[in-house]
Amino acid sequence: MLTKFQINDPSIESQWRAIILFGKNSATYKFAFAKALLETIEKEKTKISLEELSIPFANSIVDHLQKSDKQGNSVTSTFLEGCRGFIKGDMKPEDLYRLTEKYGFVNVIDAFQNVNGGAVSNTFYEKNFIGGKKEIVITDNLLKIKELFQYRNLNQEVEARWNLVETAWNLKINPNLLEVNYDEEKSLFFIESNVMQRIDITSVRDALNGYQKGKCFYSLQDISINKNNLNICQVDHFLPHINKKEHCKNGANINGVWNLVLADSNVNLNKSAKIPDVRFLERLYDRNEYYIESKHPLAETIINQTGLTKKQRRNFLQFQYNLALSLSIQRWRPEFELI
């Protein structure tokens, strides 16, 4: 069954993002595997052995284990124990990679391309274990990703999603109390732990971009989240920040994830503190529902901020939108919008 994110959008990049954002998260191996595949694209290989894949795969897991020890829901894992041993200096790199080849890919190769119980329509590889081989054969779909404008954003999006998932697992906070906060100055999402300790999670741009399919929220042109790109997108408050006190009095945190979108810098400059045309409110509702569908932990935050049911969330947005309109005389729409 397709997610709403995929419906009417058969593009290769949407299939890739559906895997990263909506696939099951019983372990974070999916993210390490995605990063290994992206590295394979860079080398333009048409097939790669598990022996070769084990190096970038294990290195990514080790990097994240050093920040967050919980990388899966299983009580025991021979592979993760091996990674922990490597971090302690008890295992040589070549032994870690052999262990990874044997245990690290169990389940992930078969499960990676499944979303909502079925494989995505454009698969990115095929498994070839015939005649003792242990390799995956890369399809044209994966190789074509490198030709896309959004290719340069995908690795950051995988990292952002990985950071969000492992943060949720390691915090051990009741989801009903979970609140992801926005640091406007640093453009970061952060959480306060149950001992009031701030924990930075990830870049706001990296976390939001995938849910907007790499497009400006208003004009739908491609945007970049790369800091080295002069045209890096900006984080915009859909309903303007200037009225935050009035929104706060009426139960809304205007800095909440539900109200943050990414926009092309010129489009955002033109919009400024104006109220977007009402048709963009439906787009905001859909974007927020993508978060909720993908689970952890932005989903819980949006539910906590806007309502438990779809009806409550729609009513919340409409109420806050009407409030913003009552406080402003300027409505806005972009000078152009791609279809």
Side-chain angles (χ1 to χ4, degrees), residues 63-97:
D63 285 345
H64 276 262
L65 266 178
Q66 293 182 91
K67 297 183 292 183
S68 299
D69 188 66
K70 188 173 176 61
Q71 294 294 327
N73 287 326
S74 297
V75 178
T76 60
S77 166
T78 300
F79 169 58
L80 289 180
E81 285 306 311
C83 291
R84 293 185 180 103
F86 173 78
I87 292 169
K88 293 177 182 174
D90 297 336
M91 182 179 287
K92 297 177 181 177
E94 55 267 31
D95 293 330
L96 173 64
Y97 301 142

Side-chain angles (χ1 to χ4, degrees), residues 8 41 58 92 129 142 155 159-160 169 188 205 258 277 287 301 308:
N8 299 324
I41 298 174
K92 297 177 181 177
F129 282 13
L142 187 60
N155 195 58
E159 270 295 323
W169 284 348
L188 282 174
R205 289 185 180 88
W258 66 272
D277 188 89
R287 196 289 309 263
T301 299
L308 186 60

Side-chain angles (χ1 to χ4, degrees), residues 56 84 95 122 129 132 135 152-153 155 211 218 220 237 268 272 280 287:
R84 293 185 180 103
D95 293 330
N122 302 104
F129 282 13
E135 64 181 16
R152 65 202 75 181
N153 293 330
N155 195 58
Y211 293 93
Y218 305 106
L220 299 181
H237 290 83
N268 194 39
S272 187
F280 292 104
R287 196 289 309 263

